[in-house]
Amino acid sequence: MNELEQTIREGSKARHEFVASLKKQVISDYSQKGSTKFNIITMISKNRIFLGAFSAFSVTLFAGLLVLAYVVAPKSATLSQADTDLLQKIASANSSRLELGLGNSAMVPSANTSMNSAATDQSKRAAALVYREVNRDYNYVERTEEYTKGPLANSCSNAAYVPEDIASISSYEYYVDKKAMFPDKTLSMQRTKDGELIEYQLMDNQSTYINAGGSYTVYLKNNNIIRPLAYDTVSAPETSALSKEATGNASSSSNVATDINKMPPVTATPSPTLSIKSLFGDNAKVIGTKTENGKKYYIIEWTYDLYTDCAPASSNLAAESSVSSIGNTVKPKQVITVQAKVSDGNFKIAEQSYFKGTSKSENLIVTYAINEQTKLLSGNEQELDKFNPIKTVPIRTFDVASFNWSAANQKELASIIQKNNIKGIVFDSSIGKASGVYSNQVRVIPDFQKYQTDRDFYAQTQFGQKRYDQIVKDNSFTVDANSPLMNLSFSNVKTDVLPGVILIYSESVPIQTIINQQGMSAGTAKAVDITLDGRVISGTQYEAASTPNSVSGSGGSGATAPDAPSDQKNIQTRALYYVFKQNGFHYIAMIYVNTKTSYSPVFKSVANLEDLAKSVNGVVEPVKAL
Amino acid sequence: MDEDQVAELYDATVEKIYRFFYYKVLNREVAEDLTSQVFTTFIKKIKESNTITNPKAFLYGVAKNIFLVHLKQAYRLPAQSIEAEEFEDIVDTSLSEDEKPTSIIDMLEALLPQFPDKQRYVLKLRFVDKLSISEIAEKLGKDQNYVSTTQKRAFQTLREILKCTDPVTNIVEKEKKL
């Protein structure tokens, strides 16, 4: 069992405490004939799910700051009852922003990443795991968010979401069922500070319309399909009624399904403390009030610790490197203060500002101004017209679900094999079986993404040109001439000799380059005999530049040696590389060998590498629409 | 049913029902929540009715409906039917503790959107595309230590996802251990 499987299976065993507590509750409930007792277990579970959803919000609400920063609220402010009540009202009034909608600033995709609505789609998929029913008294939301950059917007953009070009987002949501977690229709329009449309996105549960001000709109059909998790044995849900088998001989009037639907929502109303903490952390405080244009606002503040230095968001990678694993390192490097302006009366957050350190104007990173209106519509109102796609320009339709990624990948792979006339070589079958054939040079761009690099998709304006240039740059693909042409991976047959990979390089790549790339120790080079198709050829054996972490499985203290396979960490292994020339290519075979095992390298030529790729890679059918 | 019979039925089924939910939702705490709902609803119903002659079938009927309601809410699936007996078979027979779950890779793919970008990419390359550490390093233009470290962080993330650990609370807890 590998580490992945083991990790997933860890949770499959019910916790003893849970089983015992639930049993106690079940027996207790049953013994109290005729009474409906408050169910603490369910309450805890419900709160936990609520907390989970809140947590998802918390993670995202604080936007870029959680991309790489980690939040902790070590200081616990003592709040007066009045302040606690106020914060609780604010938490409740802003709960709609927790519903994974566009109002959540952190969820707002950047101009460069929102093209295929991946962020929203992924958010929905992720959130589907912590579904909660939402108690809202409206089914329609209009929301506008405007962003104003502060003096530190560029230098501290890893601490909060600072959009580069987006100055405002207008969004609209409609829930057919007002208790549903996700809106059935969502419209989002991003604009620049000059009011120019950056992107129009109209989504329903399955599809998305995207327009970027160009000469056509893209309709991505079936791109929002949520794939049920391993939902392969149960055909589909029934919610109307229990079948006879389910009810047994119970009274026919006893319709459990109906009762289930009448059960309290999956989430329960959190305690005031939980809401406040979930939204604001432990140290929220009420600063005071201010009046603007005759309207009163409350000012509240809370802080977060940032575990990286303030930096431009583009330097995230470097910043993350400085955050070694949470739990065994680091002290916070920076405090981020969030200040919110809350409208008196409806307690909605009207403005939210992020500061590096204290809330001084010179420390401002970004301010979000938020205006939200909600309504309960019957379904015939004019407001709903906006959810009809704009038809002022032609619509080009692409069915995302019908695209077969693996078949396209296979086709590209075959093309590279043919073009370079690559001959495959594999480990002897007594050592390993080929499990994958890959090439870093394969790039698949499906039809439904090609619009992204089509100039006509963008507005014929200076900004449209800027967006187009940026997308083209982001999508540029160059192949390093010194990279392997093909990679073959293997599954092991034995436990003491573990085949790793065979890399195929062009013969023109200098061997020293390969040595450097693969972390081989040049000083360990040793001439060896290699058996290929029953004949002996000359090759060179190298060892890894440092000892692989075969026992502990840890990072290897700066080592560049490859990790031993995760399921083989209980044996001492060393990584060996066999390098030989054949067919006009360098072949690099990497293998883990038990230190107590002797190994003689034996390889076989592959009759047809394309066929091998087809047989081991397989072709996965596209996801079908539900 | 007397209390002993309820306890007996609970003991015989709770692990199976929990495990079934866990592999379907891949979230320990959601699975616990659904399992709790099954038994609390079951108790409520059997207290209301004295005519249930097959409590186990009834329990599985409740479990089935709670699961289907959950799926409908979570995935907006269209309403179709499944027989309770079939559901019982699925829960009882297809999820013995030692049995390998449907597809680890399927499960991983379903969870991937929840990972940070770099961890997601490394996990996909490692387990979906089945590349080695060195291949991933090559592909990403990073050294192998970077890949190993990212993979380790990804497993840490995976554990948190599966247990649905509140990120903020979790981190506070970890900090307290320092």
mmCIF file with all atom_site columns, all heavy atoms in Angstrom, chain B residues 10 19 31-32 47 53-54 66 70 73 94-95 112 122 125 133-134 140 144 154 158 161 167-168:
data_model
loop_
_atom_site.group_PDB
_atom_site.id
_atom_site.type_symbol
_atom_site.label_atom_id
_atom_site.label_alt_id
_atom_site.label_comp_id
_atom_site.label_asym_id
_atom_site.label_entity_id
_atom_site.label_seq_id
_atom_site.pdbx_PDB_ins_code
_atom_site.Cartn_x
_atom_site.Cartn_y
_atom_site.Cartn_z
_atom_site.occupancy
_atom_site.B_iso_or_equiv
_atom_site.pdbx_formal_charge
_atom_site.auth_seq_id
_atom_site.auth_comp_id
_atom_site.auth_asym_id
_atom_site.auth_atom_id
_atom_site.pdbx_PDB_model_num
ATOM 1   N N   . TYR B 1 10  ? -26.628 -1.457 16.265  1.00 0.00 ? 10  TYR B N   1
ATOM 2   C CA  . TYR B 1 10  ? -25.664 -0.365 16.116  1.00 0.00 ? 10  TYR B CA  1
ATOM 3   C C   . TYR B 1 10  ? -24.254 -0.916 15.942  1.00 0.00 ? 10  TYR B C   1
ATOM 4   O O   . TYR B 1 10  ? -23.521 -0.546 15.014  1.00 0.00 ? 10  TYR B O   1
ATOM 5   C CB  . TYR B 1 10  ? -25.734 0.539  17.356  1.00 0.00 ? 10  TYR B CB  1
ATOM 6   C CG  . TYR B 1 10  ? -24.721 1.669  17.345  1.00 0.00 ? 10  TYR B CG  1
ATOM 7   C CD1 . TYR B 1 10  ? -25.029 2.900  16.764  1.00 0.00 ? 10  TYR B CD1 1
ATOM 8   C CD2 . TYR B 1 10  ? -23.466 1.501  17.929  1.00 0.00 ? 10  TYR B CD2 1
ATOM 9   C CE1 . TYR B 1 10  ? -24.091 3.929  16.739  1.00 0.00 ? 10  TYR B CE1 1
ATOM 10  C CE2 . TYR B 1 10  ? -22.525 2.524  17.913  1.00 0.00 ? 10  TYR B CE2 1
ATOM 11  C CZ  . TYR B 1 10  ? -22.844 3.734  17.319  1.00 0.00 ? 10  TYR B CZ  1
ATOM 12  O OH  . TYR B 1 10  ? -21.908 4.735  17.306  1.00 0.00 ? 10  TYR B OH  1
ATOM 13  N N   . ARG B 1 19  ? -17.928 3.729  7.056   1.00 0.00 ? 19  ARG B N   1
ATOM 14  C CA  . ARG B 1 19  ? -16.915 3.493  6.021   1.00 0.00 ? 19  ARG B CA  1
ATOM 15  C C   . ARG B 1 19  ? -17.485 3.767  4.637   1.00 0.00 ? 19  ARG B C   1
ATOM 16  O O   . ARG B 1 19  ? -16.830 4.339  3.773   1.00 0.00 ? 19  ARG B O   1
ATOM 17  C CB  . ARG B 1 19  ? -16.400 2.055  6.113   1.00 0.00 ? 19  ARG B CB  1
ATOM 18  C CG  . ARG B 1 19  ? -15.096 1.825  5.352   1.00 0.00 ? 19  ARG B CG  1
ATOM 19  C CD  . ARG B 1 19  ? -14.606 0.402  5.502   1.00 0.00 ? 19  ARG B CD  1
ATOM 20  N NE  . ARG B 1 19  ? -14.503 0.019  6.888   1.00 0.00 ? 19  ARG B NE  1
ATOM 21  C CZ  . ARG B 1 19  ? -15.166 -0.983 7.446   1.00 0.00 ? 19  ARG B CZ  1
ATOM 22  N NH1 . ARG B 1 19  ? -15.978 -1.723 6.729   1.00 0.00 ? 19  ARG B NH1 1
ATOM 23  N NH2 . ARG B 1 19  ? -15.011 -1.267 8.713   1.00 0.00 ? 19  ARG B NH2 1
ATOM 24  N N   . ALA B 1 31  ? -18.548 12.261 6.942   1.00 0.00 ? 31  ALA B N   1
ATOM 25  C CA  . ALA B 1 31  ? -18.991 10.873 7.098   1.00 0.00 ? 31  ALA B CA  1
ATOM 26  C C   . ALA B 1 31  ? -19.553 10.644 8.491   1.00 0.00 ? 31  ALA B C   1
ATOM 27  O O   . ALA B 1 31  ? -20.578 9.973  8.670   1.00 0.00 ? 31  ALA B O   1
ATOM 28  C CB  . ALA B 1 31  ? -17.826 9.922  6.832   1.00 0.00 ? 31  ALA B CB  1
ATOM 29  N N   . GLU B 1 32  ? -18.910 11.224 9.482   1.00 0.00 ? 32  GLU B N   1
ATOM 30  C CA  . GLU B 1 32  ? -19.424 11.089 10.849  1.00 0.00 ? 32  GLU B CA  1
ATOM 31  C C   . GLU B 1 32  ? -20.785 11.765 10.975  1.00 0.00 ? 32  GLU B C   1
ATOM 32  O O   . GLU B 1 32  ? -21.702 11.244 11.619  1.00 0.00 ? 32  GLU B O   1
ATOM 33  C CB  . GLU B 1 32  ? -18.435 11.706 11.850  1.00 0.00 ? 32  GLU B CB  1
ATOM 34  C CG  . GLU B 1 32  ? -17.174 10.879 12.034  1.00 0.00 ? 32  GLU B CG  1
ATOM 35  C CD  . GLU B 1 32  ? -16.247 11.492 13.078  1.00 0.00 ? 32  GLU B CD  1
ATOM 36  O OE1 . GLU B 1 32  ? -16.572 12.583 13.594  1.00 0.00 ? 32  GLU B OE1 1
ATOM 37  O OE2 . GLU B 1 32  ? -15.204 10.878 13.352  1.00 0.00 ? 32  GLU B OE2 1
ATOM 38  N N   . LYS B 1 47  ? -39.040 4.843  17.337  1.00 0.00 ? 47  LYS B N   1
ATOM 39  C CA  . LYS B 1 47  ? -39.792 5.206  18.539  1.00 0.00 ? 47  LYS B CA  1
ATOM 40  C C   . LYS B 1 47  ? -41.225 5.620  18.177  1.00 0.00 ? 47  LYS B C   1
ATOM 41  O O   . LYS B 1 47  ? -42.136 5.489  18.965  1.00 0.00 ? 47  LYS B O   1
ATOM 42  C CB  . LYS B 1 47  ? -39.089 6.352  19.272  1.00 0.00 ? 47  LYS B CB  1
ATOM 43  C CG  . LYS B 1 47  ? -37.889 5.888  20.071  1.00 0.00 ? 47  LYS B CG  1
ATOM 44  C CD  . LYS B 1 47  ? -37.027 7.030  20.537  1.00 0.00 ? 47  LYS B CD  1
ATOM 45  C CE  . LYS B 1 47  ? -37.723 7.906  21.536  1.00 0.00 ? 47  LYS B CE  1
ATOM 46  N NZ  . LYS B 1 47  ? -36.827 8.986  22.024  1.00 0.00 ? 47  LYS B NZ  1
ATOM 47  N N   . THR B 1 53  ? -40.784 -4.403 11.509  1.00 0.00 ? 53  THR B N   1
ATOM 48  C CA  . THR B 1 53  ? -40.410 -5.786 11.806  1.00 0.00 ? 53  THR B CA  1
ATOM 49  C C   . THR B 1 53  ? -39.006 -6.118 11.332  1.00 0.00 ? 53  THR B C   1
ATOM 50  O O   . THR B 1 53  ? -38.452 -7.129 11.711  1.00 0.00 ? 53  THR B O   1
ATOM 51  C CB  . THR B 1 53  ? -41.394 -6.773 11.143  1.00 0.00 ? 53  THR B CB  1
ATOM 52  O OG1 . THR B 1 53  ? -41.394 -6.497 9.742   1.00 0.00 ? 53  THR B OG1 1
ATOM 53  C CG2 . THR B 1 53  ? -42.781 -6.617 11.717  1.00 0.00 ? 53  THR B CG2 1
ATOM 54  N N   . ASN B 1 54  ? -38.481 -5.309 10.481  1.00 0.00 ? 54  ASN B N   1
ATOM 55  C CA  . ASN B 1 54  ? -37.124 -5.560 9.996   1.00 0.00 ? 54  ASN B CA  1
ATOM 56  C C   . ASN B 1 54  ? -36.272 -4.312 10.207  1.00 0.00 ? 54  ASN B C   1
ATOM 57  O O   . ASN B 1 54  ? -36.056 -3.518 9.296   1.00 0.00 ? 54  ASN B O   1
ATOM 58  C CB  . ASN B 1 54  ? -37.154 -5.947 8.510   1.00 0.00 ? 54  ASN B CB  1
ATOM 59  C CG  . ASN B 1 54  ? -35.793 -6.405 8.016   1.00 0.00 ? 54  ASN B CG  1
ATOM 60  O OD1 . ASN B 1 54  ? -34.772 -6.161 8.670   1.00 0.00 ? 54  ASN B OD1 1
ATOM 61  N ND2 . ASN B 1 54  ? -35.778 -7.069 6.878   1.00 0.00 ? 54  ASN B ND2 1
ATOM 62  N N   . ILE B 1 66  ? -30.594 9.237  3.460   1.00 0.00 ? 66  ILE B N   1
ATOM 63  C CA  . ILE B 1 66  ? -29.715 10.318 3.913   1.00 0.00 ? 66  ILE B CA  1
ATOM 64  C C   . ILE B 1 66  ? -28.573 10.497 2.930   1.00 0.00 ? 66  ILE B C   1
ATOM 65  O O   . ILE B 1 66  ? -28.187 11.620 2.581   1.00 0.00 ? 66  ILE B O   1
ATOM 66  C CB  . ILE B 1 66  ? -29.220 10.030 5.345   1.00 0.00 ? 66  ILE B CB  1
ATOM 67  C CG1 . ILE B 1 66  ? -30.364 10.346 6.305   1.00 0.00 ? 66  ILE B CG1 1
ATOM 68  C CG2 . ILE B 1 66  ? -27.958 10.829 5.683   1.00 0.00 ? 66  ILE B CG2 1
ATOM 69  C CD1 . ILE B 1 66  ? -30.101 10.113 7.743   1.00 0.00 ? 66  ILE B CD1 1
ATOM 70  N N   . HIS B 1 70  ? -28.015 13.752 0.596   1.00 0.00 ? 70  HIS B N   1
ATOM 71  C CA  . HIS B 1 70  ? -26.708 14.416 0.612   1.00 0.00 ? 70  HIS B CA  1
ATOM 72  C C   . HIS B 1 70  ? -26.166 14.578 -0.806  1.00 0.00 ? 70  HIS B C   1
ATOM 73  O O   . HIS B 1 70  ? -25.677 15.649 -1.172  1.00 0.00 ? 70  HIS B O   1
ATOM 74  C CB  . HIS B 1 70  ? -25.726 13.604 1.453   1.00 0.00 ? 70  HIS B CB  1
ATOM 75  C CG  . HIS B 1 70  ? -24.320 14.101 1.355   1.00 0.00 ? 70  HIS B CG  1
ATOM 76  N ND1 . HIS B 1 70  ? -23.869 15.207 2.033   1.00 0.00 ? 70  HIS B ND1 1
ATOM 77  C CD2 . HIS B 1 70  ? -23.260 13.664 0.619   1.00 0.00 ? 70  HIS B CD2 1
ATOM 78  C CE1 . HIS B 1 70  ? -22.603 15.436 1.732   1.00 0.00 ? 70  HIS B CE1 1
ATOM 79  N NE2 . HIS B 1 70  ? -22.207 14.510 0.878   1.00 0.00 ? 70  HIS B NE2 1
ATOM 80  N N   . GLN B 1 73  ? -28.024 17.222 -2.681  1.00 0.00 ? 73  GLN B N   1
ATOM 81  C CA  . GLN B 1 73  ? -27.656 18.571 -2.255  1.00 0.00 ? 73  GLN B CA  1
ATOM 82  C C   . GLN B 1 73  ? -26.237 18.918 -2.683  1.00 0.00 ? 73  GLN B C   1
ATOM 83  O O   . GLN B 1 73  ? -25.945 20.033 -3.104  1.00 0.00 ? 73  GLN B O   1
ATOM 84  C CB  . GLN B 1 73  ? -27.786 18.684 -0.734  1.00 0.00 ? 73  GLN B CB  1
ATOM 85  C CG  . GLN B 1 73  ? -29.231 18.578 -0.269  1.00 0.00 ? 73  GLN B CG  1
ATOM 86  C CD  . GLN B 1 73  ? -29.343 18.420 1.228   1.00 0.00 ? 73  GLN B CD  1
ATOM 87  O OE1 . GLN B 1 73  ? -28.447 17.914 1.883   1.00 0.00 ? 73  GLN B OE1 1
ATOM 88  N NE2 . GLN B 1 73  ? -30.470 18.839 1.771   1.00 0.00 ? 73  GLN B NE2 1
ATOM 89  N N   . SER B 1 94  ? -19.558 -4.592 -0.102  1.00 0.00 ? 94  SER B N   1
ATOM 90  C CA  . SER B 1 94  ? -18.507 -4.064 -0.972  1.00 0.00 ? 94  SER B CA  1
ATOM 91  C C   . SER B 1 94  ? -17.473 -3.231 -0.246  1.00 0.00 ? 94  SER B C   1
ATOM 92  O O   . SER B 1 94  ? -16.568 -2.702 -0.844  1.00 0.00 ? 94  SER B O   1
ATOM 93  C CB  . SER B 1 94  ? -19.124 -3.217 -2.081  1.00 0.00 ? 94  SER B CB  1
ATOM 94  O OG  . SER B 1 94  ? -19.647 -2.038 -1.533  1.00 0.00 ? 94  SER B OG  1
ATOM 95  N N   . LEU B 1 95  ? -17.622 -3.125 1.026   1.00 0.00 ? 95  LEU B N   1
ATOM 96  C CA  . LEU B 1 95  ? -16.699 -2.239 1.709   1.00 0.00 ? 95  LEU B CA  1
ATOM 97  C C   . LEU B 1 95  ? -16.102 -2.869 2.960   1.00 0.00 ? 95  LEU B C   1
ATOM 98  O O   . LEU B 1 95  ? -16.038 -2.249 3.995   1.00 0.00 ? 95  LEU B O   1
ATOM 99  C CB  . LEU B 1 95  ? -17.416 -0.942 2.096   1.00 0.00 ? 95  LEU B CB  1
ATOM 100 C CG  . LEU B 1 95  ? -17.743 -0.050 0.905   1.00 0.00 ? 95  LEU B CG  1
ATOM 101 C CD1 . LEU B 1 95  ? -18.735 1.002  1.295   1.00 0.00 ? 95  LEU B CD1 1
ATOM 102 C CD2 . LEU B 1 95  ? -16.483 0.572  0.363   1.00 0.00 ? 95  LEU B CD2 1
ATOM 103 N N   . LEU B 1 112 ? -8.154  16.803 -5.683  1.00 0.00 ? 112 LEU B N   1
ATOM 104 C CA  . LEU B 1 112 ? -7.077  17.680 -6.155  1.00 0.00 ? 112 LEU B CA  1
ATOM 105 C C   . LEU B 1 112 ? -7.427  19.171 -6.157  1.00 0.00 ? 112 LEU B C   1
ATOM 106 O O   . LEU B 1 112 ? -6.583  19.999 -5.826  1.00 0.00 ? 112 LEU B O   1
ATOM 107 C CB  . LEU B 1 112 ? -6.615  17.259 -7.554  1.00 0.00 ? 112 LEU B CB  1
ATOM 108 C CG  . LEU B 1 112 ? -5.642  16.069 -7.601  1.00 0.00 ? 112 LEU B CG  1
ATOM 109 C CD1 . LEU B 1 112 ? -5.319  15.703 -9.049  1.00 0.00 ? 112 LEU B CD1 1
ATOM 110 C CD2 . LEU B 1 112 ? -4.360  16.365 -6.846  1.00 0.00 ? 112 LEU B CD2 1
ATOM 111 N N   . VAL B 1 122 ? 2.174   18.643 -8.286  1.00 0.00 ? 122 VAL B N   1
ATOM 112 C CA  . VAL B 1 122 ? 3.102   17.556 -7.967  1.00 0.00 ? 122 VAL B CA  1
ATOM 113 C C   . VAL B 1 122 ? 2.343   16.255 -7.731  1.00 0.00 ? 122 VAL B C   1
ATOM 114 O O   . VAL B 1 122 ? 2.725   15.191 -8.224  1.00 0.00 ? 122 VAL B O   1
ATOM 115 C CB  . VAL B 1 122 ? 3.961   17.932 -6.732  1.00 0.00 ? 122 VAL B CB  1
ATOM 116 C CG1 . VAL B 1 122 ? 4.677   16.706 -6.179  1.00 0.00 ? 122 VAL B CG1 1
ATOM 117 C CG2 . VAL B 1 122 ? 4.978   19.004 -7.110  1.00 0.00 ? 122 VAL B CG2 1
ATOM 118 N N   . LEU B 1 125 ? 1.182   14.845 -11.065 1.00 0.00 ? 125 LEU B N   1
ATOM 119 C CA  . LEU B 1 125 ? 2.272   14.252 -11.838 1.00 0.00 ? 125 LEU B CA  1
ATOM 120 C C   . LEU B 1 125 ? 2.744   12.944 -11.213 1.00 0.00 ? 125 LEU B C   1
ATOM 121 O O   . LEU B 1 125 ? 3.051   11.977 -11.900 1.00 0.00 ? 125 LEU B O   1
ATOM 122 C CB  . LEU B 1 125 ? 3.454   15.232 -11.920 1.00 0.00 ? 125 LEU B CB  1
ATOM 123 C CG  . LEU B 1 125 ? 3.210   16.507 -12.732 1.00 0.00 ? 125 LEU B CG  1
ATOM 124 C CD1 . LEU B 1 125 ? 4.382   17.463 -12.586 1.00 0.00 ? 125 LEU B CD1 1
ATOM 125 C CD2 . LEU B 1 125 ? 3.003   16.164 -14.199 1.00 0.00 ? 125 LEU B CD2 1
ATOM 126 N N   . ILE B 1 133 ? 9.967   11.100 -8.986  1.00 0.00 ? 133 ILE B N   1
ATOM 127 C CA  . ILE B 1 133 ? 10.396  12.380 -8.409  1.00 0.00 ? 133 ILE B CA  1
ATOM 128 C C   . ILE B 1 133 ? 11.335  13.095 -9.375  1.00 0.00 ? 133 ILE B C   1
ATOM 129 O O   . ILE B 1 133 ? 11.217  14.300 -9.616  1.00 0.00 ? 133 ILE B O   1
ATOM 130 C CB  . ILE B 1 133 ? 11.114  12.128 -7.059  1.00 0.00 ? 133 ILE B CB  1
ATOM 131 C CG1 . ILE B 1 133 ? 10.140  11.536 -6.044  1.00 0.00 ? 133 ILE B CG1 1
ATOM 132 C CG2 . ILE B 1 133 ? 11.754  13.416 -6.539  1.00 0.00 ? 133 ILE B CG2 1
ATOM 133 C CD1 . ILE B 1 133 ? 9.144   12.498 -5.469  1.00 0.00 ? 133 ILE B CD1 1
ATOM 134 N N   . SER B 1 134 ? 12.240  12.346 -9.938  1.00 0.00 ? 134 SER B N   1
ATOM 135 C CA  . SER B 1 134 ? 13.215  12.984 -10.829 1.00 0.00 ? 134 SER B CA  1
ATOM 136 C C   . SER B 1 134 ? 12.535  13.503 -12.091 1.00 0.00 ? 134 SER B C   1
ATOM 137 O O   . SER B 1 134 ? 12.868  14.569 -12.600 1.00 0.00 ? 134 SER B O   1
ATOM 138 C CB  . SER B 1 134 ? 14.334  12.006 -11.188 1.00 0.00 ? 134 SER B CB  1
ATOM 139 O OG  . SER B 1 134 ? 13.799  10.873 -11.830 1.00 0.00 ? 134 SER B OG  1
ATOM 140 N N   . LEU B 1 140 ? 9.327   20.276 -13.901 1.00 0.00 ? 140 LEU B N   1
ATOM 141 C CA  . LEU B 1 140 ? 9.085   21.571 -13.270 1.00 0.00 ? 140 LEU B CA  1
ATOM 142 C C   . LEU B 1 140 ? 10.302  22.477 -13.301 1.00 0.00 ? 140 LEU B C   1
ATOM 143 O O   . LEU B 1 140 ? 10.219  23.650 -12.934 1.00 0.00 ? 140 LEU B O   1
ATOM 144 C CB  . LEU B 1 140 ? 8.660   21.365 -11.805 1.00 0.00 ? 140 LEU B CB  1
ATOM 145 C CG  . LEU B 1 140 ? 7.384   20.569 -11.559 1.00 0.00 ? 140 LEU B CG  1
ATOM 146 C CD1 . LEU B 1 140 ? 7.088   20.472 -10.073 1.00 0.00 ? 140 LEU B CD1 1
ATOM 147 C CD2 . LEU B 1 140 ? 6.213   21.200 -12.289 1.00 0.00 ? 140 LEU B CD2 1
ATOM 148 N N   . GLN B 1 144 ? 15.135  17.854 -7.075  1.00 0.00 ? 144 GLN B N   1
ATOM 149 C CA  . GLN B 1 144 ? 14.287  16.787 -6.549  1.00 0.00 ? 144 GLN B CA  1
ATOM 150 C C   . GLN B 1 144 ? 13.886  17.028 -5.099  1.00 0.00 ? 144 GLN B C   1
ATOM 151 O O   . GLN B 1 144 ? 12.843  16.558 -4.640  1.00 0.00 ? 144 GLN B O   1
ATOM 152 C CB  . GLN B 1 144 ? 15.009  15.455 -6.711  1.00 0.00 ? 144 GLN B CB  1
ATOM 153 C CG  . GLN B 1 144 ? 15.166  15.099 -8.182  1.00 0.00 ? 144 GLN B CG  1
ATOM 154 C CD  . GLN B 1 144 ? 16.113  13.941 -8.408  1.00 0.00 ? 144 GLN B CD  1
ATOM 155 O OE1 . GLN B 1 144 ? 16.626  13.354 -7.473  1.00 0.00 ? 144 GLN B OE1 1
ATOM 156 N NE2 . GLN B 1 144 ? 16.348  13.618 -9.660  1.00 0.00 ? 144 GLN B NE2 1
ATOM 157 N N   . ALA B 1 154 ? 1.998   18.149 0.521   1.00 0.00 ? 154 ALA B N   1
ATOM 158 C CA  . ALA B 1 154 ? 0.730   17.733 -0.074  1.00 0.00 ? 154 ALA B CA  1
ATOM 159 C C   . ALA B 1 154 ? 0.076   16.646 0.768   1.00 0.00 ? 154 ALA B C   1
ATOM 160 O O   . ALA B 1 154 ? -1.144  16.638 0.954   1.00 0.00 ? 154 ALA B O   1
ATOM 161 C CB  . ALA B 1 154 ? 0.954   17.247 -1.500  1.00 0.00 ? 154 ALA B CB  1
ATOM 162 N N   . LEU B 1 158 ? -3.438  16.708 2.463   1.00 0.00 ? 158 LEU B N   1
ATOM 163 C CA  . LEU B 1 158 ? -4.412  15.639 2.222   1.00 0.00 ? 158 LEU B CA  1
ATOM 164 C C   . LEU B 1 158 ? -5.025  15.165 3.536   1.00 0.00 ? 158 LEU B C   1
ATOM 165 O O   . LEU B 1 158 ? -6.236  14.973 3.646   1.00 0.00 ? 158 LEU B O   1
ATOM 166 C CB  . LEU B 1 158 ? -3.734  14.471 1.498   1.00 0.00 ? 158 LEU B CB  1
ATOM 167 C CG  . LEU B 1 158 ? -4.588  13.230 1.266   1.00 0.00 ? 158 LEU B CG  1
ATOM 168 C CD1 . LEU B 1 158 ? -5.805  13.559 0.391   1.00 0.00 ? 158 LEU B CD1 1
ATOM 169 C CD2 . LEU B 1 158 ? -3.767  12.124 0.616   1.00 0.00 ? 158 LEU B CD2 1
ATOM 170 N N   . ILE B 1 161 ? -7.480  17.652 4.638   1.00 0.00 ? 161 ILE B N   1
ATOM 171 C CA  . ILE B 1 161 ? -8.694  17.640 3.828   1.00 0.00 ? 161 ILE B CA  1
ATOM 172 C C   . ILE B 1 161 ? -9.582  16.461 4.237   1.00 0.00 ? 161 ILE B C   1
ATOM 173 O O   . ILE B 1 161 ? -10.777 16.597 4.439   1.00 0.00 ? 161 ILE B O   1
ATOM 174 C CB  . ILE B 1 161 ? -8.347  17.524 2.333   1.00 0.00 ? 161 ILE B CB  1
ATOM 175 C CG1 . ILE B 1 161 ? -7.720  18.823 1.837   1.00 0.00 ? 161 ILE B CG1 1
ATOM 176 C CG2 . ILE B 1 161 ? -9.589  17.175 1.505   1.00 0.00 ? 161 ILE B CG2 1
ATOM 177 C CD1 . ILE B 1 161 ? -7.136  18.714 0.439   1.00 0.00 ? 161 ILE B CD1 1
ATOM 178 N N   . PRO B 1 167 ? -8.899  24.801 9.251   1.00 0.00 ? 167 PRO B N   1
ATOM 179 C CA  . PRO B 1 167 ? -7.540  25.290 9.050   1.00 0.00 ? 167 PRO B CA  1
ATOM 180 C C   . PRO B 1 167 ? -7.043  26.193 10.166  1.00 0.00 ? 167 PRO B C   1
ATOM 181 O O   . PRO B 1 167 ? -5.956  26.033 10.656  1.00 0.00 ? 167 PRO B O   1
ATOM 182 C CB  . PRO B 1 167 ? -7.636  26.070 7.731   1.00 0.00 ? 167 PRO B CB  1
ATOM 183 C CG  . PRO B 1 167 ? -8.827  25.521 7.054   1.00 0.00 ? 167 PRO B CG  1
ATOM 184 C CD  . PRO B 1 167 ? -9.763  25.113 8.140   1.00 0.00 ? 167 PRO B CD  1
ATOM 185 N N   . VAL B 1 168 ? -7.884  27.120 10.563  1.00 0.00 ? 168 VAL B N   1
ATOM 186 C CA  . VAL B 1 168 ? -7.431  28.059 11.583  1.00 0.00 ? 168 VAL B CA  1
ATOM 187 C C   . VAL B 1 168 ? -7.208  27.333 12.898  1.00 0.00 ? 168 VAL B C   1
ATOM 188 O O   . VAL B 1 168 ? -6.146  27.408 13.507  1.00 0.00 ? 168 VAL B O   1
ATOM 189 C CB  . VAL B 1 168 ? -8.462  29.196 11.768  1.00 0.00 ? 168 VAL B CB  1
ATOM 190 C CG1 . VAL B 1 168 ? -8.033  30.098 12.902  1.00 0.00 ? 168 VAL B CG1 1
ATOM 191 C CG2 . VAL B 1 168 ? -8.598  29.960 10.472  1.00 0.00 ? 168 VAL B CG2 1
#
